[in-house]
Every structure is written in C-alpha cells, then in structure tokens.
Amino acid sequence: MSQMPRPTAMSTCPSCEEPLESGDRFCGACGYDLSAVPAPPDGLPAVTPAADGAVPAENPAVDWPSAPELDSSDTPAPVHLPTDLQGTDSGGSELPSAVRFDGVPEQAGESAAGDYTLPAPDPRTVPPESLATPPAGTKLCVACRAGQVDRDGYCENCGHAQPRERDHMEQELGAVAAVSDRGLRHHRNEDAFAITSAALPDGTPSVVSIVCDGVSSATRPDEASLAASRAASEALLESLPRGTHPQQAMHDAIVVAAEAVNVLAQEPGSAREHAPHQNAPACTLVGAIVAKDLLIVGWVGDSRAYWVPDDRTAPAARLTEDDSWAAQMVAAGLMNEAEAYADERAHAITGWLGADAYELEPHTASFKPDRPGVVVVCTDGLWNYAETAEEMAGVIPADAAHRPLHSAQVLVGHALDGGGHDNVTVAVLPFPVPPAGAGSA
C-alpha cells in the first residue's frame, strides 16, 4: 500500500533560529507558525525568508511587490489587482490593455490580436443607405433587414428563422392577381396557384387562374398542389393559342394536372416501406378562364369559384358545386344546406386529383355574364369565412376589378382575421378582360 510522504521536522525556527523540539507547531521563543513554511525535500536547498519577509525569486528581473504585514488592529492586507502587474503573453509581447473593435487586418485571411468581427448593424438605428447590399445569390433577413440568411434558413445577425417561400406568396399579372398564405394554424402551406395569360388565335387576350389545395390526409400534399397547378397552367397556355375551345381546354388541363399528380405516387417500393398505409399525393383544383365574352370554370374537389358583379345591387353567384359529403347530402335531398355543412363530415371530399381517386370526373361550366364583375377563385381556407355568394360579395372591395391584387390581399386578410384555421389561397380575375395596361392602381 502506498503512503503519503511525511514532511521532515525542522531543527531550528526559521524566524529566530531557536532550537525546536520534535512535534512543535509554534516556536517557543518568538511564536512563529511553523506550519507556514514546510521543510524542503531531501536534496533541495532550503529557501530562507529575507529579513523583510519577502521570498527572493530565482529571476531577479521581475520586481514582485511585497504584501504588507498585518498591523496591530489585525486589518487584512490590501489585495493587489491583476492590473497592478504588467503581464506578457506566451510570445513575450505585452498584453493589450483593452479589446479593439476598429482594427482591420492588412490582408485578407489575417487576424490581428484583439480584433473581433462586429455583427451587422441594427437597421433601427442605422440609416438605410449605410446598410450594405448583400452579395448576389444571398437573402436578406426579413426580421432585422440587416443580416444575411445562411443555408439553414436563419439570419446570421439576429438568428431569426426565415419564412419558407410558400408560406406567403403574391403575384399580379395585369388583369389577374393571386395571394396564398399558410394561415395561422398549419405548419406549412399546402396550397398552390398559377396565373397567366394567353393570346387566342384572333389576337384577343385570355386570362387564366388555377388554384389547388393539397389534401392534408395524403402524403406530400404540397407537392401535389404545386404539380397540378403548374401542369394545368402549362396545358392551357399550349391549347388556347391553338384555337381549342376554352371549355374543352379546361377539361383537358384538369386531366393533365391529374396525370402530374399521379406521377408523384410512382416511387420505388422501398420509399414507402416505413409508411405503407399512407395515401398517394392528392389535391383539389379549381380554375377559371376569361376569354372574350366567355367565362369558363373547371374544378375537381371542394375549391370554389364565385361571380361578383361590379354593381353590388345585382346578385352574386357561386359557379361551382363541391365534390363533398355535404354537397351529396343536399343533392340527394337528405339534408338542407345548413344542416349538411354543420355536420362534422361536411368537408370530406368525394373527388380529387391523385392516384387514389375513385374516378376522375372533371367538371366544367361556361357562362356569359351580362355585366362587368370579378371572378373569385379560392380554396376552402377562404370560403369557410365567406361561404355564400352574398357573403363573398360583402367582403371583396368595390374596386376589385381595378385593383385585383389589393382585393386578393383583403380576402386573405378576412380569412386570417376569422381564425386562419387553414391555408388560404385566392385569385381575382376581372371580367371582361381590361384593356392592356390596366390593372391595380
């Protein structure tokens, strides 16, 4: 068993050099505390205190200050602060007296001692013209408007998480505008839209809007809605200039959109190995075409289109019929509309785009409005808060035909103010098509 070494007893007092007895803890002559100075190990020279009580150092170049002794009042000796002594770093140079923030390395890649990079300036206290423009390909933080966004989607200045691109989208294209928002309850936006215009064979313009709502109970609903809206829009851009009748073009575009969603389900068997019971990607679709004196709508699911005349004394109208449980109950005469839509099964859809759909039945309808107005194309995230045509007409601004983007923003705001329980997407199309150059003021 190993033991701790014991110190060797001293023969004389280090203070007065009086002889000591073995086991003495204090000098009998001067009262010196013998435990304060241990005996040196064998073979090493003893360190003898100087007359003033200071222990001589091996390096005489360092002038160590002496701690004053206690006076008769037993007042503790003053403590020396670290700043009272001149220090050096490991390289032998003097330490900086303060941290500098204004130092700039002479060359890129060099770092001067004591120089630190400051965070981006606070835009609330710095003039806008003094804020640096981020390099091409980088994004500016939406919160502080000063820091750059890293690859993970966080601001390098304030750390704020940036909203995803689809959380809120707005687009205006002359005579049509659309807005989509994630809402206040969903963790992502599963809606999508596409707006465009195409010239008919005789040169007259036609305006197109497609709105899709991803089915949340299916897998990857956000991908389904995006694929469907893009495919339908591209199909219409190809068929309308060729002279295809707008109603037939809408029907064909819905079929193309369904095929695009079906493709998403064609994944390797191993991809769904851990979730074999998930439904295939799915979404609903509603679209509108304004071409000359015709208004064409097409849909599958429960997204809707409304007609709101500029003259609000004239009646508004709902142009679509839902593919839903509630609509089937009303059509069969089993419930009235109020009872059906009050049921918890009301929004269970009976038609959608996707590989799991029972049968694809695109619905299309053609109208010839006798007065100017606007077409509201939207998902249930909006019409849940303005269900009837009269309610929708009461929410949309009176100047909607001249300011479609502003009107779409107002409608989305109405849904958010109502609770925003779902994603909200709406497109506003003036009818007839305004002259070139007309749009929002």
Side-chain angles (χ1 to χ4, degrees):
M1 176 181 289
S2 59
Q3 296 180 348
M4 296 294 292
R6 296 179 179 178
T8 304
M10 293 180 290
S11 59
T12 60
C13 174
S15 178
C16 63
E17 297 184 357
E18 287 293 321
L20 301 174
E21 297 292 336
S22 176
D24 285 346
R25 298 180 61 186
F26 296 92
C27 175
C30 67
Y32 188 85
D33 185 358
L34 299 176
S35 63
V37 182
D42 295 340
L44 294 180
V47 178
T48 304
D52 57 358
V55 180
E58 295 182 1
N59 187 359
V62 179
D63 184 15
W64 297 99
S66 301
E69 298 180 357
L70 298 180
D71 55 17
S72 58
S73 64
D74 292 334
T75 302
V79 178
H80 288 283
L81 299 176
T83 53
D84 295 339
L85 303 177
Q86 289 294 331
T88 60
D89 62 13
S90 58
S93 58
E94 292 187 1
L95 294 175
S97 58
V99 178
R100 292 185 293 111
F101 290 99
D102 57 349
V104 179
E106 295 181 359
Q107 297 180 1
E110 296 181 356
S111 60
D115 291 342
Y116 298 90
T117 302
L118 280 175
D122 188 341
R124 295 170 297 181
T125 58
V126 178
E129 59 271 11
S130 64
L131 296 176
T133 302
T138 61
K139 295 182 179 179
L140 201 62
C141 175
V142 299
C144 69
R145 304 300 300 172
Q148 298 178 20
V149 179
D150 60 20
R151 294 182 178 179
D152 295 330
Y154 292 87
C155 175
E156 296 177 347
N157 176 40
C158 66
H160 189 91
Q162 305 301 296
R164 289 165 292 193
E165 183 179 358
R166 288 182 65 176
D167 282 356
H168 185 88
M169 301 178 291
E170 297 185 4
Q171 186 179 2
E172 184 177 26
L173 185 62
V176 60
V179 177
S180 181
D181 191 90
R182 177 171 60 92
L184 305 179
R185 303 296 181 89
H186 279 227
H187 70 285
R188 65 181 175 184
N189 190 358
E190 297 171 355
D191 289 356
F193 68 81
I195 57 175
T196 187
S197 61
L200 299 178
D202 61 359
T204 58
S206 63
V207 180
V208 174
S209 70
I210 301 293
V211 170
C212 296
D213 184 357
V215 178
S216 296
S217 59
T219 182
R220 294 147 57 199
D222 53 331
E223 296 182 27
S225 62
L226 185 62
S229 61
R230 288 179 174 176
S233 176
E234 292 172 359
L236 290 170
L237 278 178
E238 181 180 352
S239 60
L240 289 174
R242 291 202 313 255
T244 305
H245 190 278
Q247 189 167 356
Q248 181 63 45
M250 176 63 78
H251 178 279
D252 297 343
I254 295 176
V255 174
V256 171
E259 294 172 352
V261 178
N262 292 347
V263 169
L264 297 178
Q266 298 175 3
E267 51 190 11
S270 59
R272 298 178 66 180
E273 178 180 352
H274 302 290
H277 302 296
Q278 282 188 334
N279 296 329
C283 70
T284 67
L285 181 149
V286 62
I289 303 173
V290 175
K292 295 183 178 179
D293 58 347
L294 283 180
L295 168 58
I296 309 297
V297 295
W299 73 96
V300 173
D302 62 350
S303 295
R304 294 179 176 180
Y306 292 83
W307 163 255
V308 180
D310 290 347
D311 180 7
R312 298 304 165 83
T313 61
R318 198 177 95 195
L319 306 178
T320 58
E321 292 292 337
D322 300 342
D323 288 323
S324 68
W325 180 91
Q328 284 190 343
M329 293 298 103
V330 174
L334 301 177
M335 291 182 177
N336 61 40
E337 191 167 346
E339 293 173 340
Y341 281 98
D343 193 284
E344 61 181 7
R345 297 165 290 182
H347 291 280
I349 59 176
T350 58
W352 61 87
L353 306 183
D356 292 342
Y358 302 122
E359 184 178 357
L360 179 61
E361 296 182 2
H363 310 291
T364 61
S366 177
F367 303 92
K368 283 190 174 184
D370 60 353
R371 65 196 68 201
V374 293
V375 185
V376 177
V377 183
C378 63
T379 62
D380 60 346
L382 170 61
W383 66 254
N384 278 331
Y385 301 98
E387 186 170 338
T388 67
E390 292 73 19
E391 290 174 330
M392 188 66 71
V395 175
I396 191 169
D399 60 352
H402 304 286
R403 304 176 67 192
L405 178 59
H406 173 258
S407 300
Q409 294 168 337
V410 169
L411 293 174
V412 170
H414 174 75
L416 298 181
D417 291 342
H421 288 73
D422 199 356
N423 306 144
V424 188
T425 303
V426 56
V428 177
L429 294 82
F431 179 93
V433 177
S440 62

